[in-house]
Amino acid sequence: MSKLHLVFGGRVKDPMTLEFQDPTQLDVVGIFADYASAEKAWRGAAQRTVDDAEMKYVVVHLHRLLEPDLEA
């Protein structure tokens, strides 16, 4: 199984959390086949919004959600 990664972000209620203000307005950057590609996309998206403390982008390890028993 490939190790898929999702990169998305949006405006958060508090910069110390991952509680998004409006989940319907999330910016989905994409799904990537490896962490290196996902990290590159995450860095690009995060850099574009670096001056906005309420914008946050994350990398989600989809393979861990799809098959959690595979991760030791």
Side-chain angles (χ1 to χ4, degrees):
M1 178 175 148
S2 62
K3 295 192 173 186
L4 299 174
H5 299 80
L6 167 66
V7 179
F8 72 94
R11 190 163 299 285
V12 291
K13 293 181 178 182
D14 177 351
M16 299 298 288
T17 70
L18 283 175
E19 185 177 355
F20 293 97
Q21 289 181 15
D22 184 0
T24 66
Q25 296 296 313
L26 290 175
D27 174 23
V28 177
V29 178
I31 297 175
F32 302 87
D34 57 71
Y35 183 78
S37 300
E39 182 182 26
K40 184 177 179 181
W42 167 80
R43 286 187 187 280
Q47 187 63 40
R48 285 192 303 275
T49 61
V50 72
D51 292 330
D52 186 348
E54 292 181 342
M55 287 296 289
K56 187 176 278 191
Y57 282 85
V58 295
V59 176
V60 177
H61 302 267
L62 290 179
H63 59 278
R64 291 183 184 166
L65 296 174
L66 295 171
E67 296 194 47
D69 295 336
L70 291 180
E71 298 295 323

Coordinates of all heavy atoms in Angstrom, one line a residue:
M1 N 0.8 -1.2 0.0 CA 0.0 0.0 0.0 C 0.9 1.2 0.0 O 1.9 1.3 0.7 CB -0.9 0.0 1.2 CG -1.8 1.2 1.4 SD -2.8 1.0 2.8 CE -3.0 2.7 3.2
S2 N 0.5 2.2 -0.8 CA 1.3 3.4 -0.8 C 1.0 4.3 0.4 O -0.1 4.1 1.0 CB 1.0 4.3 -2.1 OG -0.3 4.6 -2.1
K3 N 1.9 5.1 0.8 CA 1.8 5.9 2.0 C 1.2 7.2 1.6 O 2.0 8.2 1.4 CB 3.1 6.0 2.8 CG 3.5 4.6 3.3 CD 4.6 4.7 4.3 CE 4.8 3.4 4.9 NZ 5.8 3.4 6.0
L4 N -0.1 7.4 1.5 CA -0.7 8.6 1.0 C -0.7 9.6 2.1 O -0.9 9.3 3.3 CB -2.1 8.3 0.6 CG -2.3 7.3 -0.6 CD1 -3.8 7.0 -0.8 CD2 -1.7 7.9 -1.8
H5 N -0.6 10.9 1.7 CA -0.6 12.0 2.6 C -1.5 13.1 2.1 O -1.4 13.4 0.9 CB 0.8 12.6 2.8 CG 1.8 11.6 3.4 ND1 2.4 10.6 2.6 CD2 2.2 11.4 4.6 CE1 3.2 9.9 3.4 NE2 3.1 10.4 4.6
L6 N -2.3 13.7 2.9 CA -3.2 14.8 2.6 C -2.7 16.1 3.2 O -2.3 16.1 4.3 CB -4.6 14.5 3.1 CG -5.6 15.7 3.1 CD1 -6.0 16.0 1.7 CD2 -6.8 15.3 3.9
V7 N -2.6 17.1 2.3 CA -2.2 18.5 2.8 C -3.4 19.4 2.7 O -4.0 19.5 1.6 CB -1.0 19.0 2.0 CG1 -0.6 20.4 2.5 CG2 0.2 18.0 2.1
F8 N -3.8 20.0 3.8 CA -4.9 21.0 3.7 C -4.6 22.0 4.8 O -3.8 21.9 5.7 CB -6.2 20.3 3.9 CG -6.5 19.8 5.3 CD1 -7.2 20.6 6.2 CD2 -6.1 18.5 5.7 CE1 -7.4 20.1 7.5 CE2 -6.3 18.1 6.9 CZ -7.0 18.9 7.9
G9 N -5.4 23.1 4.8 CA -5.3 24.1 5.8 C -6.5 25.1 5.7 O -7.4 24.9 4.9
G10 N -6.4 26.0 6.7 CA -7.5 27.0 6.8 C -7.3 27.9 8.0 O -6.4 27.8 8.7
R11 N -8.3 28.7 8.2 CA -8.3 29.6 9.3 C -8.7 28.9 10.6 O -9.7 28.2 10.6 CB -9.2 30.8 9.0 CG -9.1 32.0 9.9 CD -9.7 33.2 9.4 NE -9.1 33.7 8.2 CZ -7.9 34.3 8.1 NH1 -7.2 34.5 9.2 NH2 -7.5 34.6 6.9
V12 N -7.9 29.0 11.6 CA -8.2 28.4 12.9 C -8.7 29.4 13.9 O -8.5 30.6 13.8 CB -6.9 27.7 13.5 CG1 -6.5 26.5 12.6 CG2 -5.7 28.6 13.6
K13 N -9.5 28.9 14.9 CA -10.0 29.8 15.9 C -8.9 30.3 16.8 O -9.0 31.4 17.3 CB -11.1 29.0 16.7 CG -12.3 28.7 15.9 CD -13.4 28.0 16.7 CE -14.6 27.7 15.9 NZ -15.7 27.1 16.6
D14 N -8.0 29.4 17.1 CA -6.9 29.8 18.0 C -5.6 29.2 17.4 O -5.5 28.0 17.1 CB -7.1 29.1 19.4 CG -6.0 29.3 20.4 OD1 -4.9 29.8 20.0 OD2 -6.2 29.0 21.6
P15 N -4.6 30.0 17.2 CA -3.3 29.5 16.5 C -2.6 28.4 17.3 O -1.8 27.7 16.7 CB -2.4 30.7 16.5 CG -3.4 31.9 16.5 CD -4.5 31.4 17.4
M16 N -3.0 28.1 18.5 CA -2.4 27.0 19.3 C -3.2 25.7 19.1 O -2.8 24.7 19.6 CB -2.4 27.4 20.8 CG -1.6 28.6 21.1 SD 0.2 28.5 20.6 CE 0.7 27.4 21.9
T17 N -4.2 25.7 18.3 CA -5.1 24.5 18.1 C -5.2 24.2 16.6 O -4.8 25.0 15.8 CB -6.5 24.7 18.8 OG1 -7.2 25.6 18.0 CG2 -6.4 25.1 20.2
L18 N -5.9 23.1 16.4 CA -6.3 22.8 15.0 C -7.8 22.8 14.8 O -8.4 22.1 14.0 CB -5.8 21.3 14.7 CG -4.3 21.2 14.4 CD1 -3.9 19.8 14.2 CD2 -3.9 22.0 13.2
E19 N -8.5 23.7 15.6 CA -9.9 23.8 15.4 C -10.2 24.9 14.4 O -9.9 26.1 14.6 CB -10.6 24.3 16.8 CG -12.1 24.3 16.7 CD -12.7 24.7 18.0 OE1 -12.0 24.8 19.0 OE2 -13.9 24.8 18.0
F20 N -10.6 24.4 13.2 CA -10.8 25.4 12.1 C -12.1 26.1 12.3 O -13.1 25.6 12.7 CB -10.8 24.6 10.8 CG -9.5 24.0 10.5 CD1 -9.2 22.7 10.8 CD2 -8.5 24.8 9.9 CE1 -7.9 22.2 10.5 CE2 -7.2 24.3 9.6 CZ -6.9 23.0 9.9
Q21 N -12.1 27.4 11.9 CA -13.2 28.3 12.0 C -14.4 27.8 11.2 O -15.5 27.8 11.6 CB -12.9 29.7 11.6 CG -12.0 30.4 12.6 CD -11.7 31.9 12.2 OE1 -12.3 32.4 11.3 NE2 -10.7 32.4 12.8
D22 N -14.1 27.5 9.9 CA -15.2 27.1 9.0 C -14.7 25.9 8.1 O -14.0 26.2 7.1 CB -15.6 28.3 8.1 CG -16.8 28.0 7.2 OD1 -17.3 26.8 7.2 OD2 -17.2 28.9 6.5
P23 N -14.9 24.7 8.5 CA -14.4 23.6 7.8 C -14.9 23.5 6.3 O -14.2 22.9 5.5 CB -15.0 22.4 8.5 CG -15.2 22.9 9.9 CD -15.6 24.3 9.8
T24 N -16.0 24.2 6.0 CA -16.4 24.2 4.6 C -15.5 25.1 3.7 O -15.5 25.0 2.5 CB -17.8 24.8 4.4 OG1 -17.9 26.1 4.8 CG2 -18.8 23.9 5.3
Q25 N -14.6 25.9 4.3 CA -13.7 26.8 3.6 C -12.3 26.3 3.6 O -11.4 27.1 3.3 CB -13.8 28.2 4.2 CG -15.1 28.9 4.1 CD -15.5 29.1 2.6 OE1 -14.7 29.6 1.8 NE2 -16.7 28.7 2.3
L26 N -12.0 25.0 3.9 CA -10.7 24.5 4.0 C -10.0 24.5 2.6 O -10.7 24.3 1.6 CB -10.7 23.1 4.5 CG -11.0 22.9 6.0 CD1 -11.0 21.4 6.3 CD2 -10.0 23.6 6.9
D27 N -8.8 24.8 2.6 CA -8.0 24.8 1.3 C -7.3 23.4 1.2 O -6.4 23.1 1.9 CB -7.0 25.9 1.3 CG -6.0 25.9 0.1 OD1 -6.4 25.3 -0.9 OD2 -4.9 26.4 0.3
V28 N -7.8 22.6 0.3 CA -7.2 21.2 0.1 C -6.1 21.4 -0.9 O -6.4 21.7 -2.1 CB -8.3 20.2 -0.3 CG1 -7.6 18.9 -0.6 CG2 -9.4 20.1 0.8
V29 N -4.9 21.3 -0.5 CA -3.7 21.4 -1.4 C -3.6 20.2 -2.3 O -3.4 20.3 -3.5 CB -2.4 21.7 -0.6 CG1 -1.3 21.8 -1.5 CG2 -2.6 22.9 0.3
G30 N -3.8 19.0 -1.7 CA -3.7 17.8 -2.5 C -3.4 16.5 -1.7 O -3.1 16.6 -0.5
I31 N -3.4 15.4 -2.4 CA -3.0 14.1 -1.8 C -1.7 13.7 -2.5 O -1.6 13.8 -3.7 CB -4.1 13.1 -2.0 CG1 -5.4 13.5 -1.3 CG2 -3.7 11.7 -1.6 CD1 -6.6 12.6 -1.5
F32 N -0.8 13.3 -1.7 CA 0.6 13.0 -2.2 C 1.0 11.6 -1.9 O 0.6 11.0 -0.9 CB 1.6 14.0 -1.7 CG 1.2 15.4 -2.0 CD1 0.3 16.1 -1.2 CD2 1.7 16.0 -3.2 CE1 -0.1 17.4 -1.5 CE2 1.3 17.3 -3.5 CZ 0.4 18.0 -2.7
A33 N 1.8 11.0 -2.8 CA 2.1 9.5 -2.6 C 3.3 9.3 -1.6 O 3.5 8.2 -1.3 CB 2.6 9.0 -4.0
D34 N 4.0 10.4 -1.2 CA 5.0 10.2 -0.3 C 5.2 11.5 0.6 O 4.7 12.5 0.2 CB 6.4 9.9 -1.0 CG 6.8 11.0 -2.0 OD1 7.1 12.1 -1.5 OD2 6.7 10.7 -3.2
Y35 N 5.8 11.3 1.7 CA 5.9 12.4 2.7 C 6.7 13.6 2.1 O 6.4 14.7 2.4 CB 6.5 11.9 4.0 CG 6.6 13.0 5.0 CD1 5.4 13.4 5.7 CD2 7.7 13.7 5.3 CE1 5.4 14.4 6.6 CE2 7.7 14.8 6.2 CZ 6.6 15.1 6.8 OH 6.6 16.2 7.7
A36 N 7.8 13.3 1.4 CA 8.6 14.3 0.9 C 7.8 15.3 0.0 O 7.9 16.5 0.1 CB 9.8 13.8 0.1
S37 N 7.0 14.7 -0.9 CA 6.1 15.6 -1.8 C 5.1 16.3 -1.0 O 4.8 17.5 -1.2 CB 5.4 14.7 -2.8 OG 6.3 14.0 -3.6
A38 N 4.5 15.7 0.0 CA 3.5 16.3 0.9 C 4.2 17.5 1.7 O 3.6 18.6 1.8 CB 2.9 15.3 1.8
E39 N 5.4 17.2 2.2 CA 6.1 18.3 2.9 C 6.4 19.5 2.1 O 6.2 20.6 2.5 CB 7.3 17.7 3.6 CG 8.1 18.8 4.4 CD 9.3 18.3 5.0 OE1 10.0 17.3 4.5 OE2 9.7 18.8 6.1
K40 N 6.8 19.2 0.8 CA 7.1 20.3 -0.1 C 5.9 21.2 -0.4 O 5.9 22.4 -0.3 CB 7.7 19.8 -1.4 CG 8.1 20.8 -2.4 CD 8.7 20.2 -3.6 CE 9.1 21.3 -4.6 NZ 9.7 20.7 -5.8
A41 N 4.7 20.5 -0.6 CA 3.5 21.2 -0.8 C 3.0 22.0 0.5 O 2.6 23.1 0.4 CB 2.4 20.2 -1.2
W42 N 3.2 21.4 1.6 CA 2.8 22.0 2.9 C 3.7 23.3 3.1 O 3.2 24.3 3.5 CB 3.1 21.0 4.0 CG 3.0 21.7 5.4 CD1 1.9 22.0 6.1 CD2 4.2 22.0 6.2 NE1 2.3 22.6 7.3 CE2 3.7 22.6 7.3 CE3 5.5 21.9 6.0 CZ2 4.5 23.1 8.3 CZ3 6.4 22.4 7.0 CH2 5.9 23.0 8.1
R43 N 5.0 23.2 2.9 CA 5.9 24.3 3.0 C 5.5 25.5 2.1 O 5.5 26.6 2.5 CB 7.3 23.9 2.8 CG 7.9 23.1 3.9 CD 9.4 22.9 3.7 NE 10.0 22.0 4.7 CZ 10.3 22.4 5.9 NH1 10.1 23.6 6.3 NH2 10.7 21.5 6.8
G44 N 5.1 25.1 0.9 CA 4.7 26.2 -0.1 C 3.4 26.9 0.4 O 3.3 28.1 0.4
A45 N 2.4 26.1 0.8 CA 1.2 26.7 1.3 C 1.4 27.5 2.5 O 0.8 28.6 2.7 CB 0.1 25.5 1.5
A46 N 2.1 26.9 3.5 CA 2.4 27.6 4.7 C 3.1 28.9 4.5 O 2.9 29.9 5.2 CB 3.1 26.7 5.7
Q47 N 4.1 28.9 3.6 CA 4.9 30.1 3.3 C 4.0 31.2 2.8 O 4.3 32.4 3.1 CB 6.0 29.7 2.4 CG 7.0 30.9 2.2 CD 7.7 31.3 3.5 OE1 8.1 30.4 4.3 NE2 7.9 32.5 3.7
R48 N 3.1 30.9 1.9 CA 2.2 31.9 1.3 C 1.4 32.6 2.4 O 1.0 33.8 2.2 CB 1.3 31.3 0.3 CG 1.9 30.9 -1.0 CD 0.9 30.6 -2.1 NE 0.0 29.5 -1.7 CZ 0.3 28.2 -1.8 NH1 1.4 27.8 -2.4 NH2 -0.6 27.3 -1.5
T49 N 1.1 32.0 3.5 CA 0.3 32.6 4.6 C 1.1 32.8 5.9 O 0.5 33.0 6.9 CB -0.9 31.7 4.9 OG1 -0.4 30.4 5.3 CG2 -1.8 31.5 3.6
V50 N 2.4 32.9 5.8 CA 3.2 33.0 6.9 C 2.9 34.3 7.8 O 3.1 34.2 9.0 CB 4.7 33.0 6.6 CG1 5.1 34.3 5.9 CG2 5.6 32.7 7.7
D51 N 2.4 35.3 7.2 CA 2.1 36.5 8.0 C 0.7 36.5 8.6 O 0.4 37.5 9.3 CB 2.2 37.8 7.1 CG 3.7 38.0 6.6 OD1 4.6 37.7 7.4 OD2 3.8 38.5 5.5
D52 N 0.0 35.5 8.4 CA -1.4 35.4 9.0 C -1.4 34.3 10.0 O -1.4 33.1 9.7 CB -2.4 35.0 7.9 CG -3.8 35.1 8.3 OD1 -4.1 35.1 9.6 OD2 -4.7 35.0 7.5
A53 N -1.3 34.6 11.3 CA -1.2 33.7 12.4 C -2.4 32.8 12.5 O -2.3 31.7 13.1 CB -1.0 34.4 13.7
E54 N -3.6 33.1 11.9 CA -4.8 32.3 12.0 C -4.9 31.3 10.9 O -5.8 30.5 10.9 CB -6.0 33.2 12.1 CG -6.1 34.0 13.4 CD -7.3 34.9 13.4 OE1 -8.0 35.1 12.4 OE2 -7.7 35.3 14.5
M55 N -3.9 31.3 10.0 CA -3.9 30.3 8.9 C -3.0 29.2 9.3 O -1.8 29.5 9.6 CB -3.5 30.9 7.6 CG -4.6 31.8 7.0 SD -6.1 30.9 6.5 CE -5.5 30.0 5.1
K56 N -3.4 28.0 9.1 CA -2.6 26.8 9.5 C -2.8 25.7 8.4 O -3.9 25.4 8.0 CB -3.0 26.3 10.9 CG -2.0 25.3 11.4 CD -2.4 24.9 12.8 CE -1.8 25.9 13.7 NZ -1.8 25.4 15.1
Y57 N -1.7 25.2 8.0 CA -1.7 24.0 7.1 C -1.1 22.8 7.8 O -0.2 22.9 8.6 CB -0.9 24.3 5.8 CG -1.7 25.2 4.9 CD1 -1.7 26.6 5.0 CD2 -2.4 24.7 3.9 CE1 -2.4 27.4 4.2 CE2 -3.2 25.5 3.0 CZ -3.2 26.8 3.2 OH -3.9 27.6 2.3
V58 N -1.6 21.6 7.4 CA -1.2 20.4 8.1 C -1.0 19.3 7.0 O -1.5 19.3 5.9 CB -2.2 19.9 9.1 CG1 -2.3 20.9 10.3 CG2 -3.5 19.7 8.5
V59 N -0.2 18.3 7.4 CA 0.0 17.1 6.6 C -0.6 15.9 7.4 O -0.3 15.7 8.6 CB 1.5 16.7 6.4 CG1 1.7 15.4 5.7 CG2 2.2 17.8 5.7
V60 N -1.6 15.2 6.8 CA -2.3 14.1 7.5 C -1.8 12.8 6.8 O -1.8 12.7 5.6 CB -3.8 14.3 7.3 CG1 -4.5 13.1 7.9 CG2 -4.3 15.5 7.9
H61 N -1.4 11.9 7.6 CA -0.9 10.6 7.1 C -2.1 9.7 6.8 O -2.6 9.0 7.7 CB 0.0 9.9 8.1 CG 1.2 10.8 8.4 ND1 2.4 10.7 7.8 CD2 1.4 11.8 9.3 CE1 3.3 11.5 8.3 NE2 2.7 12.2 9.2
L62 N -2.6 9.7 5.6 CA -3.8 9.0 5.3 C -3.6 7.5 5.5 O -4.6 6.8 5.9 CB -4.3 9.3 3.9 CG -4.9 10.7 3.7 CD1 -5.2 10.8 2.2 CD2 -6.0 11.0 4.5
H63 N -2.4 7.0 5.2 CA -2.2 5.5 5.3 C -2.4 5.1 6.8 O -2.8 4.0 7.0 CB -0.8 5.2 4.8 CG 0.3 5.9 5.5 ND1 0.7 7.2 5.1 CD2 1.1 5.5 6.5 CE1 1.7 7.5 5.9 NE2 2.0 6.6 6.7
R64 N -2.1 6.0 7.7 CA -2.3 5.6 9.2 C -3.8 5.5 9.5 O -4.1 4.8 10.4 CB -1.6 6.6 10.1 CG -0.1 6.5 10.0 CD 0.6 7.4 10.9 NE 2.1 7.4 10.7 CZ 2.9 8.2 11.2 NH1 2.4 9.3 11.9 NH2 4.2 8.1 11.0
L65 N -4.6 6.3 8.9 CA -6.0 6.3 9.1 C -6.7 5.1 8.4 O -7.6 4.5 9.0 CB -6.7 7.6 8.6 CG -6.2 8.9 9.3 CD1 -6.8 10.1 8.6 CD2 -6.6 8.8 10.8
L66 N -6.2 4.8 7.2 CA -6.8 3.7 6.5 C -6.5 2.3 7.0 O -7.3 1.4 7.0 CB -6.3 3.8 5.0 CG -6.8 5.0 4.2 CD1 -6.1 5.1 2.9 CD2 -8.3 5.0 4.1
E67 N -5.2 2.1 7.5 CA -4.8 0.9 8.1 C -4.0 1.1 9.3 O -2.8 0.9 9.3 CB -4.1 0.0 7.0 CG -4.9 -0.3 5.8 CD -4.3 -1.4 5.0 OE1 -3.8 -2.4 5.6 OE2 -4.2 -1.2 3.8
P68 N -4.6 1.5 10.4 CA -3.9 1.8 11.7 C -3.1 0.6 12.3 O -2.1 0.8 12.9 CB -5.0 2.3 12.6 CG -6.3 1.7 12.1 CD -6.1 1.6 10.6
D69 N -3.5 -0.6 12.0 CA -2.9 -1.8 12.6 C -1.5 -2.0 11.9 O -0.7 -2.7 12.5 CB -3.7 -3.0 12.4 CG -5.0 -2.9 13.2 OD1 -5.0 -2.2 14.2 OD2 -6.0 -3.6 12.9
L70 N -1.2 -1.4 10.8 CA 0.1 -1.6 10.1 C 1.2 -0.8 10.8 O 2.4 -1.1 10.7 CB 0.0 -1.2 8.7 CG -0.8 -2.1 7.8 CD1 -0.8 -1.6 6.3 CD2 -0.3 -3.5 7.8
E71 N 0.8 0.3 11.5 CA 1.8 1.1 12.2 C 2.2 0.5 13.6 O 1.3 0.3 14.4 CB 1.3 2.5 12.4 CG 1.0 3.2 11.1 CD 2.3 3.5 10.3 OE1 3.3 3.8 10.8 OE2 2.2 3.4 9.0
A72 N 3.4 0.2 13.7 CA 3.8 -0.4 15.0 C 4.2 0.6 16.0 O 4.7 1.7 15.7 CB 5.0 -1.4 14.8

